[in-house]
Amino acid sequence: MHLTQDLELFPEYTVTQLLFKDVKNATELRKMAVNGEIKGALINPSMVVDAFQILVAANKAVHLHKSGKMKTRSLYSEIIFSLSPTNNISEAFKRFGISDSDSAVLIVLVHNKDETLNIDNIISKVDGQQITVDRVSDLNDVAKIKKLYKVAPQEEKCGSLLDAVVCRMATKDVA
């Protein structure tokens, strides 16, 4: 049900993604994340094209964390910020973080390969139905994604929406 991938550039780290729909306790989950009870990024899947987008954001966040150049306070907030095409942190949280009214959540965990991860503990905190991560496209809002990332129709003729989104994420820091 969950998707676990190693980070190629940081082989000591693994990223695990868990996707839930019909979530009834988004408010409590958000509070748990803020209080450190859930050590993960809680992301609104309506703004996610593919699991690869999350992997790119996690990779960038780990890189900035290891080099001491994060713009936010934690690795998990940096993942949310890395998804955004702009440098506005509060805007990134509004667009990509979960809100109290959300009925779906994508939880992203970054952990050292050596440490054991208690996924069942995290799953037990979510009052919702877990679905496979590759079904994130069932929950996304393509029109909103295209608008936020300013993807032109002609751009999609030569590449995918995922290509356009990842390109915007990767180049937002380039002046």
Side-chain angles (χ1 to χ4, degrees):
M1 287 290 240
H2 61 275
L3 176 64
T4 299
Q5 297 164 293
D6 295 336
L7 289 180
E8 211 171 291
L9 298 175
F10 305 99
E12 68 274 23
Y13 288 100
T14 301
V15 176
T16 299
Q17 299 180 50
L18 304 129
L19 182 62
F20 298 88
K21 67 176 190 173
D22 303 325
V23 174
K24 294 168 185 63
N25 65 332
T27 306
E28 294 90 66
L29 291 172
R30 211 166 51 78
K31 285 179 184 161
M32 284 186 236
V34 169
N35 295 335
E37 295 168 50
I38 295 178
K39 294 191 184 325
L42 275 56
I43 295 169
N44 179 346
S46 72
M47 299 304 292
V48 177
V49 179
D50 185 88
F52 180 73
Q53 180 183 354
I54 301 298
L55 197 61
V56 169
N59 201 56
K60 184 174 184 180
V62 168
H63 168 71
L64 294 170
H65 177 70
K66 288 183 78 74
S67 64
K69 295 183 177 170
M70 291 196 315
K71 292 181 177 83
T72 66
R73 291 191 193 125
S74 75
L75 177 64
Y76 296 115
S77 59
E78 198 70 25
I79 291 171
I80 294 170
F81 179 61
S82 294
L83 288 166
S84 178
T86 71
N87 281 308
N88 186 324
I89 295 170
S90 60
E91 184 72 20
F93 274 88
K94 204 179 338 173
R95 300 253 189 237
F96 296 94
I98 65 164
S99 68
D100 294 347
S101 60
D102 286 341
S103 61
V105 64
L106 176 64
I107 301 175
V108 182
L109 313 163
V110 178
H111 45 100
N112 201 300
K113 273 191 180 161
D114 301 335
E115 68 182 85
T116 50
L117 183 68
N118 191 347
I119 292 175
D120 292 334
N121 180 38
I122 292 165
I123 293 170
S124 70
K125 293 178 180 179
V126 182
D127 182 8
Q129 181 188 346
Q130 186 178 9
I131 58 176
T132 58
V133 176
D134 61 3
R135 289 194 44 212
V136 73
S137 60
D138 296 351
L139 304 173
N140 68 13
D141 186 333
V142 173
K144 268 179 152 174
I145 293 168
K146 286 179 182 179
K147 183 178 178 184
L148 177 66
Y149 287 98
K150 298 182 175 109
V151 179
Q154 57 268 40
E155 191 174 356
E156 287 187 273
K157 289 179 182 164
C158 61
S160 68
L161 177 60
L162 179 62
D163 293 339
V165 166
V166 169
C167 182
R168 304 293 193 292
M169 288 168 50
T171 58
K172 85 171 178 185
D173 297 326
V174 180

